[in-house]
Amino acid sequence: MTAKRIDGKATAADLRAAVALEVDELEEKHRFTPGLAVVLVGEDPASQVYVGAKHKATLEVGMKSFEHRLPADTSEAKLLDLVQQLNSRDDVDGILVQLPLPKHVDATRILDAIDPKKDVDGFHALNAGLLAAGRAALVPCTPVGAMRLIRQTLPHIAGLHAVIVGRSNIVGKPMAQLLLAADCTVTIAHSKTRGLPAIVRQADIVVAAVGRPEMIRGDWIKPGATVIDVGINRLPGADGSKGRLVGDVAFAEAEKVAGAITPVPGGVGPMTIACLLANTIQAAKARRGLS
Ligand code: NDP
């Protein structure tokens, strides 16, 4: 048996097209263009790539994009000041501060300063609490994207056992909340979990969000399970060159056992930016009382 490959690239393209239509509709009917502000502090190469990709995708769907690139030695006070300015601007519907921030800046303080109504990354404690309470919230983009892929693969997930490996605030915990809200039975595993392979073997849905290349092996997967690989790891290349990207799941092994699986790249990754755009639309409408 070979698993069906879940095509995150195609699903993300469909979602971006739907967002572009919504932008047109908001302009026509409500006379405004949603805007997303992205703040980057420092020159981290991966962050620069992400911020560039977000800027391009925002413009492509017809939204306004406001980029703020600040030097690595920007003070926390200055960054807080910028966040406050963006909070008060009417043309900014979403604010994203790219992580990681330099060490001299308290990231929690910065994230907590973002207006929760504009918190399109869903990292503010208020949005995390609303999600946990089963109420309307802005939800982190990567788990939302993973959830969309799960729903399109498995239309009836109530009662299924989902095992999430990883408990970060960005991926693992919100993923667990979304699956719980969808009536799955949810197990969250982490670095102190004992007997991880046996736990993963019970899963109808496996979500891997660990950050360890190919840690989850094919013989950990229950035959027919749906495997969502959030991990993005770059293997070291020969002679110091850039190696290939792999997930947290040993794809070639798992593909022989699973019912459906996301590839890396081309699975969850492309969904993250598409869901950021969708979150910006959600924030723009909610701020204006539109359904
Ligand atoms: P974190 O490092 O914040 O969290 C990793 C989690 O994995 C922790 O909960 C940790 O447990 C757990 N873990 C580590 N080692 C083991 C182990 N041996 N066995 C079981 N659990 C373990 O990572 P993120 O959640 O931010 O990211 C996870 C992965 O997803 C990374 O590869 C990252 O690059 C990728 N990612 C992809 C995105 C996308 O757009 N597709 C977006 C965000 C992340 P503990 O809590 O006990 O330390």
Side-chain angles (χ1 to χ4, degrees):
M1 166 171 157
T2 303
K4 175 186 166 236
R5 284 193 193 197
I6 301 170
D7 188 347
K9 220 170 153 182
T11 307
D14 291 347
L15 181 54
R16 288 198 307 272
V19 167
L21 284 178
E22 281 222 61
V23 173
D24 286 348
E25 203 178 303
L26 290 171
E27 285 176 338
E28 251 175 54
K29 285 195 189 155
H30 301 284
R31 303 277 162 223
F32 77 93
T33 306
L36 172 63
V38 177
V39 180
L40 172 65
V41 185
E43 277 101 41
D44 177 64
S47 295
Q48 288 192 343
V49 172
Y50 292 142
V51 166
K54 285 166 188 171
H55 175 65
K56 186 166 166 269
T58 306
L59 294 177
E60 274 171 6
V61 295
M63 294 201 288
K64 289 183 200 156
S65 173
F66 308 102
E67 258 194 358
H68 295 266
R69 291 177 182 252
L70 307 177
D73 61 359
T74 302
S75 69
E76 188 176 294
K78 200 161 178 198
L79 192 52
L80 281 170
D81 196 46
L82 173 61
V83 169
Q84 295 303 350
Q85 283 175 37
L86 296 172
N87 282 345
S88 59
R89 268 174 58 175
D90 201 43
D91 56 348
V92 171
D93 294 290
I95 303 169
L96 181 155
V97 178
Q98 184 67 43
L99 300 179
L101 286 168
K103 286 202 170 59
H104 67 274
V105 177
D106 181 344
T108 307
R109 195 172 292 164
I110 301 298
L111 296 180
D112 281 352
I114 295 173
D115 179 346
K117 293 192 176 70
K118 297 187 176 187
D119 169 39
V120 284
D121 247 345
F123 296 162
H124 193 288
L126 183 76
N127 278 313
L130 288 171
L131 175 65
R135 291 167 54 186
L138 284 163
V139 181
C141 307
T142 300
V144 168
M147 195 66 197
R148 281 181 179 265
L149 296 179
I150 293 170
R151 284 207 179 272
Q152 97 181 12
T153 308
L154 297 168
H156 306 289
I157 60 173
L160 295 184
H161 186 186
V163 173
I164 301 151
V165 191
R167 58 174 166 180
S168 71
N169 290 337
I170 292 173
V171 188
K173 281 183 201 157
M175 189 76 240
Q177 299 293 355
L178 290 171
L179 287 160
L180 196 59
D183 295 328
C184 286
T185 301
V186 178
T187 300
I188 308 175
H190 46 78
S191 68
K192 307 290 186 293
T193 297
R194 295 182 189 175
L196 184 60
I199 292 172
V200 174
R201 244 174 244 128
Q202 295 171 21
D204 304 302
I205 301 167
V206 181
V207 180
V210 192
R212 289 180 182 259
E214 302 181 324
M215 186 189 88
I216 294 172
R217 312 306 309 185
D219 64 359
W220 298 19
I221 306 296
K222 179 159 96 174
T226 295
V227 178
I228 305 294
D229 191 350
V230 179
I232 303 177
N233 311 286
R234 190 169 294 279
L235 295 179
D239 310 325
S241 61
K242 264 190 178 181
R244 66 190 174 96
L245 284 182
V246 296
D248 292 340
V249 177
F251 184 85
E253 295 175 12
E255 183 182 40
K256 295 189 185 120
V257 192
I261 186 166
T262 57
V264 177
V268 177
M271 293 298 292
T272 299
I273 292 185
C275 290
L276 171 68
L277 303 174
N279 273 1
T280 306
I281 295 281
Q282 184 189 327
K285 287 162 80 173
R287 282 180 62 227
R288 292 169 176 82
L290 307 171
S291 61

